[in-house]
């Protein structure tokens, strides 16, 4: 596509008039996972967006960096760039988006996979923390200045799927096969694969809900929360400020006296 703006429209996703940009296309999915993981919606968002690389007439950002603050002093950071394909997740073995969930006891690397690569969930243990002082040990004085902490490396441990759970009803051969697979996964010799693509499972569940009248896990309330996050994230980047999610609840400011109302054709 050559520069030329909307007059040379070939991809509607490139224009604010039709699209929320990278935040709508990609970030919304990670906010969805973050809301589910934290069991809450963000309190505020701040970030930076810019057009740094793809100068093809678009007016949506091709570089997005966002920080979401959640209740309980929890934070989600998001990055989407167009100038580099390196993904540090999954041992940097695949160029695919994913989530890295970091807690006090470990870190999860997660991706849903696609038609050619399996879903993955790796857990990295946090190194043990020293919480006790040996009797007679001399306390070291604190020294002012910057401190660099080097974290210890750990091997990823795959989170096992249900088909490897031991039920007690397995035959000897079935039990040994499960133990062998667990060992191979833990050593990185084999990579676990879902029996079915999770995206297909999600779509099937949604269609069944439509037919049977059930409630999808990602229902209209989840979709609304994701949409609010998209709107406020773009606002935070456009206005270069922190935007509180409570601002969605504020009524619109009244138009100044004497101002003409805009028509659909104006």
């Amino acid at each position: 596509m050559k520069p030329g703006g909307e007059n040379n429209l070939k991809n509607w996703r490139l224009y604010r008039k039709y699209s929320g940009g990278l935040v709508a296309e990609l970030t919304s999915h990670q906010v969805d996972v973050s809301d589910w993981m934290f069991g809450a919606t963000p309190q505020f968002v701040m970030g930076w967006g810019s057009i740094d690389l793809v100068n093809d007439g678009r007016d949506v950002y091709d570089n997005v960096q966002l920080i979401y603050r959640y209740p309980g002093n929890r934070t989600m950071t998001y990055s989407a760039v167009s100038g580099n394909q390196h993904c540090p997740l999954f041992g940097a073995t695949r160029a695919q988006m994913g989530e890295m969930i970091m807690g006090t006891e470990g870190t999860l690397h997660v991706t849903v996979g696609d038609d050619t690569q399996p879903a993955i969930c790796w857990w990295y243990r946090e190194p043990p923390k020293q919480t006790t002082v040996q009797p007679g040990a001399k306390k070291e004085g604190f020294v002012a200045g910057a401190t660099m902490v080097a974290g210890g490396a750990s091997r990823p441990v795959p989170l096992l799927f249900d088909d490897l759970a031991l039920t007690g009803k397995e035959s000897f051969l079935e039990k040994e096969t499960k133990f062998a697979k667990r060992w191979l996964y833990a050593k990185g010799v084999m990579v676990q694969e879902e029996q079915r693509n999770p995206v297909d499972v999600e779509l099937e569940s949604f269609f069944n809900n439509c037919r049977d009248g059930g409630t999808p896990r990602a229902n209209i309330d989840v979709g609304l929360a994701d949409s609010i996050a998209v709107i406020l994230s773009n606002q935070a980047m456009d206005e270069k400020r922190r935007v509180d999610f409570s601002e969605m609840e504020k009524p619109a400011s009244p138009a100044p006296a004497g101002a003409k109302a805009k028509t659909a054709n104006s």
Side-chain angles (χ1 to χ4, degrees):
M1 177 176 172
K2 297 179 181 179
E6 288 188 68
N7 292 330
N8 194 21
L9 179 62
K10 290 185 179 179
N11 189 340
W12 57 268
R13 291 176 174 85
L14 305 182
Y15 304 103
R16 288 293 188 92
K17 184 176 180 181
Y18 314 103
S19 166
L22 287 173
V23 184
E25 294 285 328
L26 300 176
T27 315
S28 56
H29 299 293
Q30 269 67 52
V31 172
D32 192 7
V33 171
S34 185
D35 288 358
W36 165 72
M37 187 69 192
F38 290 146
T41 54
Q43 295 172 312
F44 64 82
V45 58
M46 51 188 178
W48 177 264
S50 53
I51 303 175
D52 299 320
L53 182 72
V54 191
N55 298 307
D56 55 5
R58 70 181 59 201
D59 58 10
V60 298
Y61 302 129
D62 65 7
N63 182 15
V64 170
Q65 311 293 329
L66 292 162
I67 300 175
Y68 298 87
R69 186 65 166 178
Y70 282 79
N73 298 325
R74 297 172 296 184
T75 302
M76 194 269 275
T77 61
Y78 179 83
S79 175
V81 298
S82 300
N84 190 290
Q85 296 186 42
H86 176 75
C87 181
L89 304 178
F90 325 115
T93 58
R94 55 201 288 179
Q96 186 184 347
M97 70 176 184
E99 291 85 34
M100 182 167 62
I101 304 170
M102 306 175 71
T104 56
E105 300 300 324
T107 299
L108 289 175
H109 290 189
V110 187
T111 181
V112 297
D114 54 30
D115 292 335
T116 59
Q117 299 188 91
I120 290 179
C121 184
W122 287 353
W123 176 46
Y124 291 81
R125 292 188 181 94
E126 276 290 284
K129 299 176 178 61
Q130 184 177 350
T131 57
T132 58
V133 178
Q134 297 296 330
K138 183 179 179 181
K139 288 187 177 181
E140 295 185 6
F142 290 100
V143 180
T147 303
M148 182 178 70
V149 178
S154 64
R155 293 179 62 87
V157 177
L159 295 188
L160 300 176
F161 298 146
D162 292 340
D163 61 323
L164 290 181
L166 296 174
T167 64
K169 299 179 180 180
E170 296 89 356
S171 66
F172 173 79
L173 182 58
E174 289 172 336
K175 183 182 296 184
E176 290 300 309
T177 299
K178 288 185 177 181
F179 279 128
K181 286 185 175 180
R182 287 179 172 213
W183 185 86
L184 291 170
Y185 293 149
K187 296 298 182 182
V189 178
M190 291 177 57
V191 176
Q192 284 190 103
E193 294 190 24
E194 293 269 15
Q195 294 178 342
R196 297 180 61 203
N197 189 318
V199 177
D200 295 337
V201 175
E202 181 182 8
L203 289 173
E204 181 181 277
S205 174
F206 175 75
F207 290 141
N208 288 337
N209 291 145
C210 294
R211 182 189 62 193
D212 302 332
T215 301
R217 291 187 177 182
N219 57 22
I220 190 172
D221 294 324
V222 173
L224 176 60
D226 295 343
S227 300
I228 290 174
V230 169
I231 293 169
L232 297 184
S233 298
N234 277 322
Q235 182 179 347
M237 292 185 292
D238 291 343
E239 299 179 3
K240 298 178 175 56
R241 68 178 180 92
R242 159 182 160 168
V243 174
D244 293 327
F245 273 57
S246 60
E247 292 185 29
M248 286 295 294
E249 302 172 4
K250 297 178 181 178
S253 300
K260 294 182 178 179
K262 281 191 174 183
T263 66
N265 296 324
S266 61

Short mmCIF file of all heavy atoms in Angstrom, two decimals, residues 22-79:
data_model
loop_
_atom_site.label_atom_id
_atom_site.label_comp_id
_atom_site.label_asym_id
_atom_site.label_seq_id
_atom_site.Cartn_x
_atom_site.Cartn_y
_atom_site.Cartn_z
N LEU A 22 -3.75 -1.21 17.06
CA LEU A 22 -3.17 -2.37 17.72
C LEU A 22 -3.86 -2.69 19.04
O LEU A 22 -3.96 -3.85 19.44
CB LEU A 22 -1.67 -2.12 17.99
CG LEU A 22 -0.74 -2.17 16.78
CD1 LEU A 22 0.67 -1.75 17.19
CD2 LEU A 22 -0.72 -3.56 16.17
N VAL A 23 -4.35 -1.64 19.72
CA VAL A 23 -5.00 -1.88 21.01
C VAL A 23 -6.27 -2.71 20.83
O VAL A 23 -6.56 -3.61 21.63
CB VAL A 23 -5.32 -0.55 21.71
CG1 VAL A 23 -5.92 -0.80 23.09
CG2 VAL A 23 -4.06 0.30 21.85
N ALA A 24 -7.04 -2.40 19.80
CA ALA A 24 -8.27 -3.16 19.54
C ALA A 24 -7.96 -4.54 18.96
O ALA A 24 -8.58 -5.54 19.34
CB ALA A 24 -9.17 -2.39 18.57
N GLU A 25 -6.98 -4.59 18.05
CA GLU A 25 -6.67 -5.84 17.36
C GLU A 25 -5.98 -6.86 18.27
O GLU A 25 -6.25 -8.06 18.19
CB GLU A 25 -5.76 -5.55 16.16
CG GLU A 25 -6.40 -4.72 15.07
CD GLU A 25 -7.39 -5.54 14.26
OE1 GLU A 25 -7.18 -6.75 14.09
OE2 GLU A 25 -8.37 -4.95 13.80
N LEU A 26 -5.09 -6.38 19.14
CA LEU A 26 -4.25 -7.30 19.91
C LEU A 26 -4.36 -7.11 21.42
O LEU A 26 -4.60 -8.06 22.15
CB LEU A 26 -2.78 -7.12 19.49
CG LEU A 26 -2.47 -7.39 18.00
CD1 LEU A 26 -1.01 -7.08 17.70
CD2 LEU A 26 -2.80 -8.82 17.63
N THR A 27 -4.18 -5.87 21.89
CA THR A 27 -4.14 -5.64 23.33
C THR A 27 -5.41 -6.10 24.03
O THR A 27 -5.36 -6.57 25.18
CB THR A 27 -3.92 -4.14 23.63
OG1 THR A 27 -2.90 -3.63 22.78
CG2 THR A 27 -3.54 -3.92 25.08
N SER A 28 -6.54 -6.00 23.36
CA SER A 28 -7.81 -6.40 23.97
C SER A 28 -7.77 -7.84 24.46
O SER A 28 -8.35 -8.18 25.50
CB SER A 28 -8.96 -6.22 22.97
OG SER A 28 -8.70 -6.94 21.77
N HIS A 29 -7.06 -8.72 23.73
CA HIS A 29 -6.98 -10.12 24.13
C HIS A 29 -6.15 -10.28 25.39
O HIS A 29 -6.49 -11.08 26.28
CB HIS A 29 -6.37 -10.94 22.99
CG HIS A 29 -7.16 -10.92 21.72
ND1 HIS A 29 -8.41 -11.50 21.63
CD2 HIS A 29 -6.90 -10.37 20.52
CE1 HIS A 29 -8.88 -11.32 20.40
NE2 HIS A 29 -7.99 -10.62 19.71
N GLN A 30 -5.06 -9.52 25.49
CA GLN A 30 -4.23 -9.63 26.69
C GLN A 30 -4.91 -8.99 27.91
O GLN A 30 -4.77 -9.48 29.03
CB GLN A 30 -2.86 -8.96 26.45
CG GLN A 30 -1.80 -9.91 25.92
CD GLN A 30 -2.09 -10.42 24.53
OE1 GLN A 30 -2.35 -9.64 23.64
NE2 GLN A 30 -2.03 -11.73 24.35
N VAL A 31 -5.65 -7.91 27.71
CA VAL A 31 -6.42 -7.34 28.81
C VAL A 31 -7.46 -8.35 29.29
O VAL A 31 -7.71 -8.49 30.49
CB VAL A 31 -7.09 -6.03 28.38
CG1 VAL A 31 -8.06 -5.53 29.45
CG2 VAL A 31 -6.05 -4.96 28.11
N ASP A 32 -8.06 -9.07 28.35
CA ASP A 32 -9.03 -10.10 28.69
C ASP A 32 -8.40 -11.15 29.62
O ASP A 32 -8.97 -11.52 30.66
CB ASP A 32 -9.53 -10.76 27.40
CG ASP A 32 -10.75 -11.64 27.63
OD1 ASP A 32 -11.29 -11.62 28.74
OD2 ASP A 32 -11.16 -12.33 26.69
N VAL A 33 -7.20 -11.62 29.26
CA VAL A 33 -6.50 -12.61 30.08
C VAL A 33 -6.13 -12.00 31.43
O VAL A 33 -6.27 -12.65 32.48
CB VAL A 33 -5.23 -13.11 29.35
CG1 VAL A 33 -4.38 -13.98 30.28
CG2 VAL A 33 -5.61 -13.89 28.10
N SER A 34 -5.66 -10.76 31.43
CA SER A 34 -5.25 -10.11 32.67
C SER A 34 -6.45 -9.94 33.62
O SER A 34 -6.33 -10.20 34.83
CB SER A 34 -4.63 -8.75 32.35
OG SER A 34 -4.13 -8.13 33.50
N ASP A 35 -7.59 -9.51 33.09
CA ASP A 35 -8.79 -9.37 33.92
C ASP A 35 -9.18 -10.71 34.53
O ASP A 35 -9.58 -10.80 35.70
CB ASP A 35 -9.96 -8.84 33.09
CG ASP A 35 -9.79 -7.37 32.72
OD1 ASP A 35 -8.80 -6.75 33.13
OD2 ASP A 35 -10.67 -6.84 32.00
N TRP A 36 -9.10 -11.76 33.72
CA TRP A 36 -9.44 -13.11 34.20
C TRP A 36 -8.46 -13.56 35.28
O TRP A 36 -8.86 -14.12 36.30
CB TRP A 36 -9.44 -14.08 33.01
CG TRP A 36 -9.43 -15.52 33.39
CD1 TRP A 36 -10.45 -16.24 33.93
CD2 TRP A 36 -8.32 -16.43 33.26
NE1 TRP A 36 -10.05 -17.55 34.15
CE2 TRP A 36 -8.76 -17.69 33.75
CE3 TRP A 36 -7.02 -16.30 32.77
CZ2 TRP A 36 -7.92 -18.81 33.76
CZ3 TRP A 36 -6.19 -17.42 32.80
CH2 TRP A 36 -6.65 -18.64 33.29
N MET A 37 -7.18 -13.29 35.05
CA MET A 37 -6.15 -13.73 36.00
C MET A 37 -6.28 -13.00 37.33
O MET A 37 -6.17 -13.61 38.40
CB MET A 37 -4.77 -13.49 35.39
CG MET A 37 -3.62 -14.04 36.19
SD MET A 37 -3.60 -15.83 36.18
CE MET A 37 -2.40 -16.16 37.47
N PHE A 38 -6.51 -11.68 37.28
CA PHE A 38 -6.59 -10.88 38.50
C PHE A 38 -7.99 -10.90 39.12
O PHE A 38 -8.17 -10.49 40.27
CB PHE A 38 -6.20 -9.44 38.22
CG PHE A 38 -4.73 -9.26 37.92
CD1 PHE A 38 -4.31 -8.30 37.02
CD2 PHE A 38 -3.77 -10.03 38.54
CE1 PHE A 38 -2.96 -8.12 36.73
CE2 PHE A 38 -2.42 -9.86 38.27
CZ PHE A 38 -2.01 -8.91 37.36
N GLY A 39 -8.99 -11.31 38.34
CA GLY A 39 -10.36 -11.29 38.85
C GLY A 39 -10.87 -9.88 39.06
O GLY A 39 -11.70 -9.63 39.95
N ALA A 40 -10.39 -8.95 38.24
CA ALA A 40 -10.77 -7.54 38.39
C ALA A 40 -10.50 -6.82 37.07
O ALA A 40 -9.86 -7.36 36.17
CB ALA A 40 -10.00 -6.88 39.52
N THR A 41 -11.01 -5.59 36.97
CA THR A 41 -10.69 -4.73 35.83
C THR A 41 -9.71 -3.65 36.29
O THR A 41 -9.61 -3.36 37.48
CB THR A 41 -11.96 -4.08 35.26
OG1 THR A 41 -12.65 -3.40 36.31
CG2 THR A 41 -12.89 -5.14 34.66
N PRO A 42 -8.97 -3.04 35.35
CA PRO A 42 -7.96 -2.06 35.75
C PRO A 42 -8.56 -0.83 36.42
O PRO A 42 -9.72 -0.48 36.21
CB PRO A 42 -7.30 -1.69 34.42
CG PRO A 42 -7.60 -2.81 33.49
CD PRO A 42 -8.96 -3.30 33.90
N GLN A 43 -7.72 -0.16 37.20
CA GLN A 43 -8.10 1.11 37.81
C GLN A 43 -7.72 2.28 36.91
O GLN A 43 -8.44 3.25 36.82
CB GLN A 43 -7.42 1.25 39.18
CG GLN A 43 -7.88 0.23 40.20
CD GLN A 43 -7.04 0.29 41.46
OE1 GLN A 43 -5.81 0.31 41.41
NE2 GLN A 43 -7.70 0.31 42.61
N PHE A 44 -6.56 2.18 36.28
CA PHE A 44 -6.15 3.23 35.35
C PHE A 44 -5.15 2.66 34.34
O PHE A 44 -4.61 1.56 34.52
CB PHE A 44 -5.56 4.45 36.08
CG PHE A 44 -4.29 4.20 36.83
CD1 PHE A 44 -3.05 4.19 36.18
CD2 PHE A 44 -4.30 3.99 38.20
CE1 PHE A 44 -1.86 3.98 36.88
CE2 PHE A 44 -3.12 3.77 38.91
CZ PHE A 44 -1.90 3.77 38.25
N VAL A 45 -4.91 3.42 33.27
CA VAL A 45 -3.96 3.03 32.24
C VAL A 45 -3.15 4.25 31.82
O VAL A 45 -3.65 5.38 31.84
CB VAL A 45 -4.69 2.43 31.01
CG1 VAL A 45 -5.69 3.42 30.42
CG2 VAL A 45 -3.69 1.99 29.94
N MET A 46 -1.91 4.03 31.49
CA MET A 46 -1.08 5.09 30.91
C MET A 46 -0.14 4.44 29.91
O MET A 46 0.14 3.24 29.99
CB MET A 46 -0.31 5.84 31.98
CG MET A 46 0.48 4.99 32.93
SD MET A 46 1.15 5.98 34.28
CE MET A 46 1.98 4.73 35.26
N GLY A 47 0.35 5.22 28.95
CA GLY A 47 1.22 4.62 27.96
C GLY A 47 1.62 5.58 26.87
O GLY A 47 1.36 6.79 26.92
N TRP A 48 2.27 5.00 25.86
CA TRP A 48 2.79 5.78 24.76
C TRP A 48 2.52 5.04 23.46
O TRP A 48 2.73 3.84 23.36
CB TRP A 48 4.29 6.00 24.94
CG TRP A 48 4.93 6.74 23.80
CD1 TRP A 48 5.57 6.22 22.72
CD2 TRP A 48 4.94 8.16 23.62
NE1 TRP A 48 6.01 7.21 21.88
CE2 TRP A 48 5.63 8.43 22.42
CE3 TRP A 48 4.44 9.23 24.36
CZ2 TRP A 48 5.83 9.71 21.92
CZ3 TRP A 48 4.65 10.51 23.88
CH2 TRP A 48 5.32 10.75 22.69
N GLY A 49 2.06 5.78 22.45
CA GLY A 49 1.86 5.22 21.13
C GLY A 49 2.45 6.13 20.08
O GLY A 49 2.45 7.35 20.24
N SER A 50 2.96 5.55 19.00
CA SER A 50 3.59 6.36 17.96
C SER A 50 3.61 5.60 16.65
O SER A 50 3.41 4.38 16.62
CB SER A 50 5.02 6.75 18.37
OG SER A 50 5.76 5.59 18.73
N ILE A 51 3.82 6.34 15.57
CA ILE A 51 4.02 5.75 14.25
C ILE A 51 5.50 5.91 13.93
O ILE A 51 5.96 6.99 13.59
CB ILE A 51 3.15 6.43 13.18
CG1 ILE A 51 1.67 6.36 13.58
CG2 ILE A 51 3.36 5.77 11.81
CD1 ILE A 51 0.75 7.12 12.63
N ASP A 52 6.26 4.84 14.06
CA ASP A 52 7.71 4.91 13.96
C ASP A 52 8.27 4.25 12.71
O ASP A 52 9.37 4.60 12.27
CB ASP A 52 8.35 4.22 15.18
CG ASP A 52 7.96 4.90 16.49
OD1 ASP A 52 7.89 6.14 16.50
OD2 ASP A 52 7.71 4.19 17.47
N LEU A 53 7.56 3.28 12.16
CA LEU A 53 8.16 2.46 11.12
C LEU A 53 7.34 2.39 9.85
O LEU A 53 7.87 2.53 8.75
CB LEU A 53 8.40 1.04 11.66
CG LEU A 53 9.08 0.07 10.70
CD1 LEU A 53 10.55 0.44 10.53
CD2 LEU A 53 8.94 -1.37 11.19
N VAL A 54 6.04 2.16 9.99
CA VAL A 54 5.20 1.87 8.83
C VAL A 54 4.53 3.16 8.37
O VAL A 54 3.44 3.51 8.80
CB VAL A 54 4.14 0.80 9.15
CG1 VAL A 54 3.46 0.33 7.87
CG2 VAL A 54 4.77 -0.39 9.87
N ASN A 55 5.18 3.89 7.47
CA ASN A 55 4.66 5.16 6.97
C ASN A 55 3.91 4.91 5.66
O ASN A 55 4.41 5.16 4.57
CB ASN A 55 5.81 6.14 6.75
CG ASN A 55 6.54 6.46 8.04
OD1 ASN A 55 5.91 6.85 9.03
ND2 ASN A 55 7.85 6.30 8.06
N ASP A 56 2.70 4.39 5.78
CA ASP A 56 1.90 4.06 4.61
C ASP A 56 0.59 4.83 4.56
O ASP A 56 -0.34 4.45 3.88
CB ASP A 56 1.61 2.56 4.57
CG ASP A 56 0.94 2.05 5.86
OD1 ASP A 56 0.63 2.90 6.73
OD2 ASP A 56 0.73 0.84 5.99
N GLY A 57 0.53 5.93 5.32
CA GLY A 57 -0.69 6.73 5.34
C GLY A 57 -1.61 6.42 6.50
O GLY A 57 -2.62 7.10 6.68
N ARG A 58 -1.26 5.43 7.31
CA ARG A 58 -2.11 5.08 8.45
C ARG A 58 -2.10 6.19 9.49
O ARG A 58 -1.15 6.99 9.57
CB ARG A 58 -1.61 3.78 9.09
CG ARG A 58 -0.28 3.91 9.82
CD ARG A 58 0.16 2.58 10.41
NE ARG A 58 0.31 1.57 9.37
CZ ARG A 58 0.28 0.26 9.61
NH1 ARG A 58 0.13 -0.19 10.85
NH2 ARG A 58 0.44 -0.60 8.63
N ASP A 59 -3.15 6.22 10.32
CA ASP A 59 -3.15 7.14 11.45
C ASP A 59 -3.36 6.41 12.78
O ASP A 59 -3.68 7.02 13.79
CB ASP A 59 -4.19 8.26 11.27
CG ASP A 59 -5.61 7.73 11.09
OD1 ASP A 59 -5.82 6.52 11.29
OD2 ASP A 59 -6.49 8.53 10.76
N VAL A 60 -3.19 5.08 12.77
CA VAL A 60 -3.14 4.31 14.02
C VAL A 60 -1.67 4.01 14.32
O VAL A 60 -0.85 3.92 13.42
CB VAL A 60 -3.95 3.00 13.94
CG1 VAL A 60 -5.41 3.29 13.71
CG2 VAL A 60 -3.40 2.07 12.87
N TYR A 61 -1.36 3.85 15.61
CA TYR A 61 0.02 3.65 16.03
C TYR A 61 0.55 2.29 15.57
O TYR A 61 -0.18 1.29 15.58
CB TYR A 61 0.13 3.74 17.55
CG TYR A 61 -0.35 5.04 18.13
CD1 TYR A 61 -1.26 5.07 19.18
CD2 TYR A 61 0.09 6.26 17.62
CE1 TYR A 61 -1.70 6.26 19.73
CE2 TYR A 61 -0.33 7.46 18.17
CZ TYR A 61 -1.24 7.45 19.21
OH TYR A 61 -1.68 8.64 19.74
N ASP A 62 1.83 2.25 15.20
CA ASP A 62 2.47 0.96 14.92
C ASP A 62 3.40 0.53 16.06
O ASP A 62 4.06 -0.50 15.99
CB ASP A 62 3.23 0.97 13.59
CG ASP A 62 4.43 1.93 13.58
OD1 ASP A 62 4.76 2.48 14.65
OD2 ASP A 62 5.02 2.12 12.50
N ASN A 63 3.44 1.32 17.12
CA ASN A 63 4.26 1.03 18.29
C ASN A 63 3.47 1.42 19.54
O ASN A 63 3.11 2.59 19.70
CB ASN A 63 5.58 1.82 18.22
CG ASN A 63 6.50 1.52 19.39
OD1 ASN A 63 6.32 0.55 20.12
ND2 ASN A 63 7.49 2.37 19.57
N VAL A 64 3.17 0.45 20.39
CA VAL A 64 2.30 0.69 21.55
C VAL A 64 2.95 0.13 22.81
O VAL A 64 3.38 -1.02 22.83
CB VAL A 64 0.92 0.02 21.34
CG1 VAL A 64 0.11 0.06 22.62
CG2 VAL A 64 0.17 0.70 20.21
N GLN A 65 3.03 0.97 23.84
CA GLN A 65 3.52 0.54 25.16
C GLN A 65 2.51 1.01 26.21
O GLN A 65 2.22 2.20 26.29
CB GLN A 65 4.89 1.15 25.47
CG GLN A 65 5.92 1.01 24.37
CD GLN A 65 6.36 -0.42 24.13
OE1 GLN A 65 6.38 -1.22 25.08
NE2 GLN A 65 6.71 -0.75 22.90
N LEU A 66 1.97 0.09 26.99
CA LEU A 66 0.91 0.43 27.93
C LEU A 66 1.17 -0.20 29.30
O LEU A 66 1.76 -1.28 29.40
CB LEU A 66 -0.44 -0.07 27.41
CG LEU A 66 -0.99 0.64 26.16
CD1 LEU A 66 -2.06 -0.19 25.51
CD2 LEU A 66 -1.51 2.03 26.52
N ILE A 67 0.71 0.49 30.34
CA ILE A 67 0.77 -0.01 31.71
C ILE A 67 -0.63 0.10 32.30
O ILE A 67 -1.23 1.17 32.30
CB ILE A 67 1.76 0.79 32.58
CG1 ILE A 67 3.17 0.72 31.99
CG2 ILE A 67 1.76 0.25 34.01
CD1 ILE A 67 4.18 1.60 32.72
N TYR A 68 -1.14 -1.02 32.81
CA TYR A 68 -2.45 -1.06 33.46
C TYR A 68 -2.24 -1.36 34.95
O TYR A 68 -1.52 -2.28 35.31
CB TYR A 68 -3.33 -2.16 32.86
CG TYR A 68 -3.64 -1.98 31.40
CD1 TYR A 68 -2.77 -2.46 30.43
CD2 TYR A 68 -4.80 -1.33 30.98
CE1 TYR A 68 -3.04 -2.31 29.08
CE2 TYR A 68 -5.08 -1.17 29.64
CZ TYR A 68 -4.20 -1.66 28.69
OH TYR A 68 -4.46 -1.51 27.36
N ARG A 69 -2.90 -0.57 35.79
CA ARG A 69 -2.81 -0.77 37.23
C ARG A 69 -4.12 -1.39 37.72
O ARG A 69 -5.21 -0.88 37.44
CB ARG A 69 -2.58 0.56 37.94
CG ARG A 69 -2.32 0.42 39.44
CD ARG A 69 -1.03 -0.31 39.73
NE ARG A 69 -0.62 -0.14 41.12
CZ ARG A 69 0.45 -0.71 41.65
NH1 ARG A 69 1.22 -1.49 40.92
NH2 ARG A 69 0.76 -0.50 42.92
N TYR A 70 -3.99 -2.50 38.48
CA TYR A 70 -5.15 -3.23 39.01
C TYR A 70 -5.22 -3.09 40.52
O TYR A 70 -4.23 -2.73 41.17
CB TYR A 70 -5.02 -4.72 38.66
CG TYR A 70 -5.38 -5.07 37.23
CD1 TYR A 70 -4.47 -4.85 36.21
CD2 TYR A 70 -6.61 -5.62 36.92
CE1 TYR A 70 -4.78 -5.18 34.89
CE2 TYR A 70 -6.93 -5.95 35.61
CZ TYR A 70 -6.03 -5.73 34.60
OH TYR A 70 -6.35 -6.05 33.31
N PRO A 71 -6.39 -3.38 41.11
CA PRO A 71 -6.49 -3.37 42.57
C PRO A 71 -5.49 -4.36 43.18
O PRO A 71 -5.11 -5.35 42.56
CB PRO A 71 -7.94 -3.81 42.82
CG PRO A 71 -8.67 -3.47 41.56
CD PRO A 71 -7.69 -3.65 40.45
N GLY A 72 -5.09 -4.09 44.40
CA GLY A 72 -4.15 -4.97 45.09
C GLY A 72 -2.71 -4.78 44.66
O GLY A 72 -1.90 -5.71 44.76
N ASN A 73 -2.39 -3.58 44.14
CA ASN A 73 -1.01 -3.26 43.73
C ASN A 73 -0.48 -4.23 42.67
O ASN A 73 0.69 -4.63 42.70
CB ASN A 73 -0.07 -3.25 44.95
CG ASN A 73 -0.45 -2.21 45.96
OD1 ASN A 73 -0.91 -1.13 45.61
ND2 ASN A 73 -0.29 -2.53 47.24
N ARG A 74 -1.34 -4.60 41.74
CA ARG A 74 -0.94 -5.50 40.66
C ARG A 74 -0.91 -4.73 39.34
O ARG A 74 -1.68 -3.80 39.13
CB ARG A 74 -1.90 -6.69 40.58
CG ARG A 74 -1.87 -7.55 41.83
CD ARG A 74 -2.95 -8.61 41.85
NE ARG A 74 -4.28 -8.03 41.88
CZ ARG A 74 -5.40 -8.75 41.98
NH1 ARG A 74 -5.33 -10.05 42.05
NH2 ARG A 74 -6.58 -8.16 41.99
N THR A 75 -0.02 -5.13 38.46
CA THR A 75 0.24 -4.37 37.25
C THR A 75 0.31 -5.29 36.04
O THR A 75 0.86 -6.40 36.12
CB THR A 75 1.56 -3.59 37.37
OG1 THR A 75 1.51 -2.73 38.51
CG2 THR A 75 1.82 -2.77 36.12
N MET A 76 -0.21 -4.82 34.93
CA MET A 76 -0.04 -5.50 33.66
C MET A 76 0.63 -4.55 32.68
O MET A 76 0.18 -3.41 32.51
CB MET A 76 -1.38 -5.96 33.08
CG MET A 76 -1.24 -6.96 31.92
SD MET A 76 -1.14 -6.25 30.27
CE MET A 76 -2.88 -6.06 29.87
N THR A 77 1.75 -4.96 32.10
CA THR A 77 2.42 -4.16 31.08
C THR A 77 2.23 -4.82 29.73
O THR A 77 2.23 -6.06 29.62
CB THR A 77 3.93 -4.01 31.38
OG1 THR A 77 4.53 -5.31 31.38
CG2 THR A 77 4.14 -3.35 32.72
N TYR A 78 2.06 -4.00 28.70
CA TYR A 78 1.80 -4.54 27.36
C TYR A 78 2.68 -3.83 26.34
O TYR A 78 2.87 -2.62 26.39
CB TYR A 78 0.33 -4.34 26.97
CG TYR A 78 0.05 -4.86 25.58
CD1 TYR A 78 -0.21 -6.20 25.38
CD2 TYR A 78 0.11 -4.01 24.47
CE1 TYR A 78 -0.43 -6.70 24.10
CE2 TYR A 78 -0.11 -4.51 23.21
CZ TYR A 78 -0.37 -5.85 23.02
OH TYR A 78 -0.57 -6.34 21.76
N SER A 79 3.20 -4.61 25.40
CA SER A 79 4.05 -4.06 24.35
C SER A 79 3.65 -4.67 23.01
O SER A 79 3.51 -5.89 22.91
CB SER A 79 5.52 -4.36 24.65
OG SER A 79 6.35 -3.95 23.59
#
